[in-house]
Amino acid sequence: MPHPDTFFRLFPAGPADRDTLDAVFRASVAGLCRRHYTTRQLDAWLQRVTPQRWDELLHGDLFFFLARDGATGCPAGVMSANTRGYVHSLFVHPRYVRQGLGRQLLDAAARWGMATGAPGLWAEVSLTAEPLFRACGFHTERVQEAIVGSERLPQRLMRHDIAPGQRPSLPACAGTADVRLEWNDRTRHLDLLLLADEDETMLRRYLDRGEMFAVSVGNTTVAACIVTDEGNGVREIQNLAVRPDWQRRGLGRWLLALAEERYRGCARLLRVATGESPLTLPFYEACGFRPVSRDAGYFLRHYARPIFEAGRRLTDRVVLEKPLKLPAGHSDRQDG
């Protein structure tokens, strides 16, 4: 059994974590749901979630989070949600039940919903998880069934409203924007990303590293952000680009807020390095970043041709950082 003082840390999860996510899911369903579902129902549930199904989920609009035992690093729980407030999954490994992890995962889902501006959270909840969701402020909207093969699994559609005062001020287009992580074929976004980094050679050095947030309106990608893991608890914003006709609508600030919430549990700070531009420096400072160092002549040494912004040639690179604070009551022991 885990020690009573066990603490958990949340990490962003992606396709590379598929097997770990699957193992937690299967252990949770097989070990915790037998009180409410028959063996045939559980078998149908488990058989439905194939590697192909995981690939669909991980390449869709869901943001997955993996909880680990803060002392041992063992996988302990899984939560996924999209930017519209849908909590798709929440599973706790049987070794870690009654340790407060389920509540911590739902708290993370609520913070994610507030960061994305969702009016509330909603989930299709198993009978096993229903008491947890109710204890965390969800109410049952209707009783329903999930049809899996020839089996019918009773569940509850549950909702949790987010108070208007807890919702951030969002760009006007946020209600129609689709935000997802791009894992494959990032080169199709090159034209957009080159708006923020004009040298393709430099861009390709980080293009396939880390995570890429993409904001689409209709069939058009209007903004993107690439964030890499630099170790020692540092996540670095390598590229933040917004199409010219979508600039000054709050999309850049919104993407930074999403990145801040996504990495809050596993990083101590966000970092960005940018040219000494009268456009970008005030923007990042308005978003809470503070200059910490300067690399004189960086753009002269690393870029083959001159880079201009707002009529000024860029020469020095300025590094800015923003500390990330864990929510109250969560341990920040360990780093990196």
Side-chain angles (χ1 to χ4, degrees), residues 136-196:
C136 292
F138 283 73
H139 64 273
T140 300
E141 187 167 281
R142 69 167 180 261
V143 176
Q144 60 185 35
E145 293 179 325
I147 300 175
V148 184
S150 61
E151 297 298 318
R152 295 175 176 269
L153 281 67
Q155 60 179 206
R156 305 288 187 261
L157 176 64
M158 304 186 74
R159 293 190 183 274
H160 184 289
D161 296 329
I162 295 175
Q166 295 179 295
R167 302 175 200 163
S169 175
L170 295 178
C173 67
T176 60
D178 175 35
V179 186
R180 63 179 61 214
L181 294 169
E182 293 281 5
W183 299 104
N184 300 324
D185 193 23
R186 294 181 179 180
T187 55
R188 67 190 181 93
H189 299 289
L190 273 180
D191 288 347
L192 173 62
L193 297 170
L194 285 168
L195 294 174

Side-chain angles (χ1 to χ4, degrees), residues 95-228:
R95 286 197 302 265
Y96 295 99
V97 295
R98 298 182 179 86
Q99 299 288 316
L101 178 55
R103 185 179 290 273
Q104 182 176 333
L105 290 170
L106 275 182
D107 180 56
R111 294 198 316 274
W112 184 250
M114 286 187 281
T116 63
L121 304 178
W122 64 283
E124 295 167 311
V125 181
S126 69
L127 300 183
T128 305
E130 182 183 6
L132 167 66
F133 277 74
R134 186 181 298 112
C136 292
F138 283 73
H139 64 273
T140 300
E141 187 167 281
R142 69 167 180 261
V143 176
Q144 60 185 35
E145 293 179 325
I147 300 175
V148 184
S150 61
E151 297 298 318
R152 295 175 176 269
L153 281 67
Q155 60 179 206
R156 305 288 187 261
L157 176 64
M158 304 186 74
R159 293 190 183 274
H160 184 289
D161 296 329
I162 295 175
Q166 295 179 295
R167 302 175 200 163
S169 175
L170 295 178
C173 67
T176 60
D178 175 35
V179 186
R180 63 179 61 214
L181 294 169
E182 293 281 5
W183 299 104
N184 300 324
D185 193 23
R186 294 181 179 180
T187 55
R188 67 190 181 93
H189 299 289
L190 273 180
D191 288 347
L192 173 62
L193 297 170
L194 285 168
L195 294 174
D197 192 339
E198 298 180 24
D199 189 310
E200 185 173 332
T201 300
M202 296 292 287
L203 192 159
R204 286 183 179 274
R205 292 182 181 180
Y206 58 78
L207 179 62
D208 292 320
R209 293 175 54 211
E211 295 188 328
M212 176 176 170
F213 298 72
V215 181
S216 299
V217 177
N219 295 322
T220 303
T221 302
V222 299
C225 180
I226 296 178
V227 185
T228 59

Side-chain angles (χ1 to χ4, degrees), residues 145-327:
E145 293 179 325
I147 300 175
V148 184
S150 61
E151 297 298 318
R152 295 175 176 269
L153 281 67
Q155 60 179 206
R156 305 288 187 261
L157 176 64
M158 304 186 74
R159 293 190 183 274
H160 184 289
D161 296 329
I162 295 175
Q166 295 179 295
R167 302 175 200 163
S169 175
L170 295 178
C173 67
T176 60
D178 175 35
V179 186
R180 63 179 61 214
L181 294 169
E182 293 281 5
W183 299 104
N184 300 324
D185 193 23
R186 294 181 179 180
T187 55
R188 67 190 181 93
H189 299 289
L190 273 180
D191 288 347
L192 173 62
L193 297 170
L194 285 168
L195 294 174
D197 192 339
E198 298 180 24
D199 189 310
E200 185 173 332
T201 300
M202 296 292 287
L203 192 159
R204 286 183 179 274
R205 292 182 181 180
Y206 58 78
L207 179 62
D208 292 320
R209 293 175 54 211
E211 295 188 328
M212 176 176 170
F213 298 72
V215 181
S216 299
V217 177
N219 295 322
T220 303
T221 302
V222 299
C225 180
I226 296 178
V227 185
T228 59
D229 184 352
E230 299 302 311
N232 195 31
V234 177
R235 297 281 172 148
E236 184 163 342
I237 299 159
Q238 298 284 357
N239 192 299
L240 178 60
V242 180
R243 279 172 51 108
D245 51 332
W246 286 86
Q247 291 175 3
R248 294 181 172 82
R249 301 196 192 189
L251 282 177
R253 186 185 292 266
W254 189 33
L255 276 173
L256 288 180
L258 295 187
E260 183 175 339
E261 187 54 52
R262 180 149 174 83
Y263 305 119
R264 185 183 304 280
C266 66
R268 59 186 177 85
L269 61 85
L270 282 179
R271 174 185 294 161
V272 62
T274 185
E276 191 177 19
S277 161
L279 297 179
T280 55
L281 284 181
F283 164 73
Y284 282 112
E285 290 179 331
C287 293
F289 289 78
R290 294 293 176 262
V292 294
S293 66
R294 175 190 298 271
D295 187 345
Y298 176 89
F299 286 91
L300 303 180
R301 298 193 308 272
H302 294 279
Y303 284 75
R305 61 186 182 84
I307 304 295
F308 291 88
E309 190 164 313
R312 175 186 297 179
R313 183 177 180 179
L314 302 184
T315 58
D316 298 353
R317 183 178 73 159
V318 180
V319 177
L320 303 96
E321 293 179 348
K322 182 177 183 178
L324 297 181
K325 296 180 180 179
L326 287 171

Side-chain angles (χ1 to χ4, degrees), residues 5-11 68-71 104 107 111 264-268 324-335:
D5 292 332
T6 298
F7 65 98
F8 305 98
R9 301 189 68 243
L10 258 60
F11 294 82
R68 292 185 179 273
D69 184 317
Q104 182 176 333
D107 180 56
R111 294 198 316 274
R264 185 183 304 280
C266 66
R268 59 186 177 85
L324 297 181
K325 296 180 180 179
L326 287 171
H330 291 246
S331 172
D332 62 354
R333 284 176 284 176
Q334 85 92 66
D335 200 315

